[in-house]
Amino acid sequence: MILIDGKKEAAELREKLKQEVAELKLKYNKVPGLTVILIGDMAPSQIYVRNKERSANEVGLKSEVIKYPETVEEKTVLEKIEELNNDKTVSGILVQLPLPNHIDKKKVIETILPSKDVDGFHPTNVGNLSSGYESSVPCTPLGCYLLIKKIEPNLSGKKAVVVGRSNLNGKPMTQLLLKENCTVTITHSRTKDLKAECLEADIIVAAVGIPELVRGDWVKKDTIVIDVGINKTDNGIVGDVNFEEVSKNAKAMTPVPGGVGPMTIACLLKNTIDCFKRSQN
Ligand code: NAD
């Protein structure tokens, strides 16, 4: 079984991006800029944003974090986004989710210019991805996709099962696999026989949020298994896949932690650089 080392893959990607930023700096005499808006003081969001800022600096991006208190008015946030939309030094804008209840997530996402939407959540980017056009792609499924491609460069005709249909993970993952000519089944909480669906798969991507939902006897021999889940349990952090059981059958799989997680931030940096490059053309 190949243990997919997300930390190593993410470090390699960051190194590549660092070189790319240096080349862009020589060519354009400026570097891509990422601005993150952080509202409130929820601990996980603070940690995510700190990691994003550190990684952005590491590859040479210009990075800025704008912080607002939990009570900030929606109007203030929307006006700031408009200002960043018009700021030529800003290539990518990310508003850290979740937002306080009084702020409309849809409005916030739709105010970000699609060309600066590094999370890939704007309906224009969602539509472009599903139409097979160039777009920003949500960072976590993009990371999963890159890990899968590293193991299996030719995915044409493979059967893929995506477990979970969230806008953040399952749906964009499905689009990426379709683009690679996989036959994709998207499953969810109302799927009748999840085990039977998984047993058909050459590739399983689990993004559910239920600890160790996918068991050893759900996975046929030589399947590639990507575990997006991050679940806090009494035994520490576990994924949506039972690692011990599934690793006996899988051809390759990601651990939790150290699998998909590290790729997510690296892909955010990639998206920022890609937005910059598109804006120069
Ligand atoms: P979500 O709650 O938005 O969606 C979960 C999906 O799972 C839903 O579509 C639901 O229909 C499906 N589901 C629920 N119960 C099911 C069942 N019994 N069988 C099949 N499907 C079922 O979750 P999300 O935002 O997509 O996140 C999923 C997991 O991924 C969470 O553990 C989250 O913490 C983790 N996550 C990890 C990263 C990362 O960087 N590694 C990023 C985002 C989310």
Side-chain angles (χ1 to χ4, degrees):
M1 206 272 303
I2 303 167
L3 183 67
I4 303 173
D5 186 344
K7 273 193 192 162
K8 183 172 144 264
E9 296 296 335
E12 276 176 21
L13 178 56
R14 284 197 305 272
E15 196 47 48
K16 235 174 76 190
L17 296 174
K18 193 174 171 178
Q19 283 169 23
E20 200 174 352
V21 172
E23 283 162 23
L24 291 170
K25 192 174 178 183
L26 276 180
K27 186 167 174 191
Y28 296 108
N29 201 25
K30 58 186 172 187
V31 295
L34 172 66
T35 298
V36 177
I37 297 180
L38 174 62
I39 302 170
D41 51 12
M42 266 180 55
S45 294
Q46 304 251 10
I47 296 168
Y48 292 144
V49 168
R50 213 176 307 133
N51 289 341
K52 285 169 185 174
E53 195 180 17
R54 203 190 47 219
S55 302
N57 289 331
E58 190 190 315
V59 303
L61 299 182
K62 177 177 157 296
S63 99
E64 183 191 18
V65 179
I66 298 170
K67 291 185 182 166
Y68 290 113
E70 181 90 19
T71 51
V72 66
E73 276 186 50
E74 181 184 274
K75 186 169 160 276
T76 309
V77 178
L78 298 180
E79 280 171 6
K80 177 51 82 178
I81 294 173
E82 296 284 7
E83 189 189 312
L84 297 170
N85 282 342
N86 293 319
D87 183 340
K88 288 207 163 63
T89 68
V90 175
S91 325
I93 304 166
L94 181 152
V95 180
Q96 183 64 43
L97 303 178
L99 299 174
N101 289 335
H102 67 280
I103 298 183
D104 182 344
K105 183 172 94 174
K106 185 166 180 281
K107 244 191 223 170
V108 166
I109 289 172
E110 290 182 3
T111 303
I112 299 173
L113 264 185
S115 58
K116 296 193 178 190
D117 165 36
V118 279
D119 257 339
F121 295 159
H122 192 289
T124 297
N125 282 321
V126 176
N128 281 340
L129 177 63
S130 69
S131 302
Y133 303 144
E134 197 173 49
S135 69
S136 282
V137 178
C139 304
T140 302
L142 179 58
C144 296
Y145 166 81
L146 294 175
L147 293 177
I148 296 168
K149 285 284 280 184
K150 197 81 188 266
I151 298 293
E152 184 63 68
N154 182 6
L155 299 175
S156 185
K158 300 277 181 207
K159 282 197 170 182
V161 170
V162 177
V163 190
R165 58 173 160 186
S166 68
N167 291 338
L168 181 67
N169 290 308
K171 284 183 195 153
M173 190 69 238
T174 300
Q175 297 299 345
L176 288 169
L177 292 165
L178 270 178
K179 231 172 148 177
E180 289 291 319
N181 300 316
C182 288
T183 303
V184 190
T185 302
I186 182 157
T187 63
H188 46 78
S189 55
R190 309 287 174 87
T191 296
K192 287 253 164 63
D193 190 347
L194 188 56
K195 176 180 173 182
E197 300 294 349
C198 287
L199 273 169
E200 294 282 316
D202 302 309
I203 299 160
I204 296 174
V205 181
V208 187
I210 299 180
E212 303 183 324
L213 175 75
V214 178
R215 309 300 305 226
D217 60 354
W218 293 25
V219 177
K220 68 178 168 67
K221 269 235 150 304
D222 289 338
T223 304
I224 299 173
V225 182
I226 305 292
D227 189 351
V228 180
I230 302 177
N231 306 295
K232 266 191 197 152
T233 70
D234 294 342
N235 300 324
I237 304 275
V238 301
D240 291 341
V241 178
N242 183 307
F243 185 88
E244 203 187 315
E245 292 176 11
V246 172
S247 59
K248 294 196 175 102
N249 279 347
K251 167 178 165 180
M253 79 182 282
T254 54
V256 176
V260 173
M263 285 299 282
T264 298
I265 293 187
C267 287
L268 170 68
L269 310 178
K270 176 174 163 34
N271 279 350
T272 306
I273 294 167
D274 288 345
C275 284
F276 173 87
K277 288 195 293 193
R278 285 196 286 269
S279 73
Q280 301 304 312
N281 290 335

